[in-house]
Amino acid sequence: MDEKLQKVLARAGQGSRREMENRIREGRVMVNGEVATLGDRVSITDSITIDGYAIVATEAGANRRVIIYNKPEGEVCTRKDPEGRTTVFEKLPKLRGERWIAVGRLDINTSGLLLFTTDGELANRLMHPSTEIDREYLVRVMGEVTDENLDNLKKGVNLEDGPAKFTDIVDGGGEGINHWFYVCLMEGRNREVRRLWESQGVKVNRLKRVRFGPVFLPSKAKVGRWVEMENDEVNALCDLVDLPSTSTQPKTQQQKLDMKRNKNKATAGGARRAKGFDWQSSEKPEFKPKKPGKRSFR
């Protein structure tokens, strides 16, 4: 079946559809030896290259993989950083003919759950505002927080890029000038959680994402480590954004060796992880407040 070229390239893990459209405009994509143009449609039997490198086109859902990464503070969500800082991509398993696509971003001072996938269409749908997937954060703020402040944050405040609000806030306890809260919002604008709290005159001094939609950060994913979602878990995530599910694909001997090597790297320095995990469990994050409050939005 013929599909739009940028869609096929995104699904092959080469980047977002917008990035692929830009590469096509720049004349960097060839189809069957001819320079591609926007609007071209291709099939998986066509010969496709980007900057001279062959791209392996696949059917929708084939070889789809998703991993959960526990980002530490200090890492940046970019492939190459001009300042030489560590990036989130450096610790991910290596791929051949594909690349990992980040589902959203976290700023350098925010830690916690990041999703990566080889399927550009899945990443695009998970990030699109129309899907209205909620994000949950564990946040520690410094300063006095009143009931009026909490009401303002739930009703909505005007930021420089438009109105914003938390859909729910749960008291997580704390002592002294620092206090913990679980907060939930339906979008992922730049530094949105921090800017919302700053609008009420308090400062965020610790921020960690613990959930993205139905995916919780499992305790097995220690800071700076990743775990791969099983096929049925990936299918459940696809159902959320109306993508077709796939059955487990038989793996070649080379793919088995690659997976074994990557898993060994992910568990280096500790015990091997058990096969699979319950990604919808209510396991607590690595750091948590004393006397955490009940979370109403799970």
Side-chain angles (χ1 to χ4, degrees):
M1 180 178 67
D2 290 346
E3 296 181 279
K4 288 185 178 179
L5 176 57
Q6 61 266 33
K7 183 176 181 179
V8 172
L9 292 174
R11 187 169 65 231
Q14 299 305 305
S16 69
R17 288 194 192 181
R18 181 171 297 178
E19 290 173 328
M20 295 304 97
E21 288 172 356
N22 289 335
R23 292 192 186 186
I24 294 170
R25 290 190 186 98
E26 294 165 359
R28 299 166 59 185
V29 182
M30 306 279 288
V31 177
N32 299 326
E34 301 289 337
V35 177
T37 58
L38 278 179
D40 285 352
R41 301 181 70 86
V42 297
S43 68
I44 61 173
T45 59
D46 287 315
S47 173
I48 306 172
T49 62
I50 297 180
D51 297 331
Y53 293 94
I55 304 302
V56 179
T58 60
E59 296 285 358
N63 301 321
R64 178 186 290 146
R65 296 173 64 186
V66 181
I67 58 175
I68 300 172
Y69 178 61
N70 189 350
K71 175 190 175 297
E73 294 179 7
E75 290 186 357
V76 292
C77 293
T78 184
R79 294 185 186 277
K80 294 182 181 179
D81 182 63
E83 299 179 28
R85 296 171 295 186
T86 302
T87 78
V88 293
F89 291 92
E90 293 178 22
K91 298 178 182 177
L92 303 186
K94 303 302 180 183
L95 297 172
R96 298 186 179 186
E98 298 177 297
R99 70 173 185 170
W100 293 111
I101 301 171
V103 180
R105 293 170 174 262
L106 295 176
D107 67 48
I108 189 170
N109 295 319
T110 301
S111 63
L113 186 154
L114 265 178
L115 289 179
F116 293 86
T117 179
T118 56
D119 187 340
E121 181 65 17
L122 175 60
N124 182 64
R125 295 197 186 191
L126 288 171
M127 290 185 285
H128 200 279
S130 65
T131 58
E132 297 186 337
I133 295 178
D134 57 342
R135 288 90 160 157
E136 180 186 344
Y137 295 82
L138 177 61
V139 55
R140 187 178 69 188
V141 299
M142 182 174 65
E144 182 182 359
V145 179
T146 66
D147 289 340
E148 182 181 358
N149 294 145
L150 298 179
D151 287 340
N152 290 338
L153 291 171
K154 287 190 286 187
K155 290 178 180 177
V157 297
N158 286 317
L159 303 178
E160 58 268 27
D161 54 354
K165 68 177 181 179
F166 293 128
T167 57
D168 206 348
I169 306 174
V170 175
D171 192 328
E175 299 176 354
I177 61 173
N178 291 312
H179 205 92
W180 293 92
F181 293 93
Y182 288 100
V183 298
C184 187
L185 72 169
M186 302 297 293
E187 54 189 359
R189 281 186 272 168
N190 185 41
R191 299 185 70 255
E192 187 171 4
V193 175
R194 297 179 188 274
R195 290 188 291 136
L196 275 166
W197 284 106
E198 289 169 0
S199 73
Q200 303 304 301
V202 295
K203 182 179 180 180
V204 172
N205 56 22
R206 198 73 182 271
L207 182 61
K208 181 172 187 175
R209 184 158 69 187
V210 295
R211 179 171 64 87
F212 184 93
V215 184
F216 288 88
L217 182 64
S219 60
K220 294 181 180 66
K222 302 302 181 184
V223 177
R225 301 288 180 87
W226 57 269
V227 290
E228 183 158 2
M229 294 172 62
E230 301 292 343
N231 192 69
D232 58 339
E233 299 162 345
V234 175
N235 284 339
L237 194 58
C238 291
D239 290 341
L240 183 68
V241 293
D242 297 323
L243 274 180
S245 300
T246 60
S247 58
T248 302
Q249 299 293 324
K251 295 180 173 60
T252 65
Q253 187 63 30
Q254 185 60 54
Q255 286 175 318
K256 291 178 181 179
L257 290 174
D258 289 343
M259 181 171 289
K260 182 178 180 180
R261 180 167 57 252
N262 286 329
K263 285 186 176 180
N264 286 341
K265 287 181 181 179
T267 55
R272 293 179 63 85
R273 68 179 179 90
K275 181 180 180 182
F277 58 91
D278 182 5
W279 59 281
Q280 297 196 73
S281 69
S282 57
E283 292 176 311
K284 299 295 183 184
E286 279 76 52
F287 69 90
K288 53 184 180 294
K290 301 174 183 178
K291 302 178 183 179
K294 183 178 179 181
R295 302 163 69 182
S296 62
F297 41 82
R298 275 202 173 176

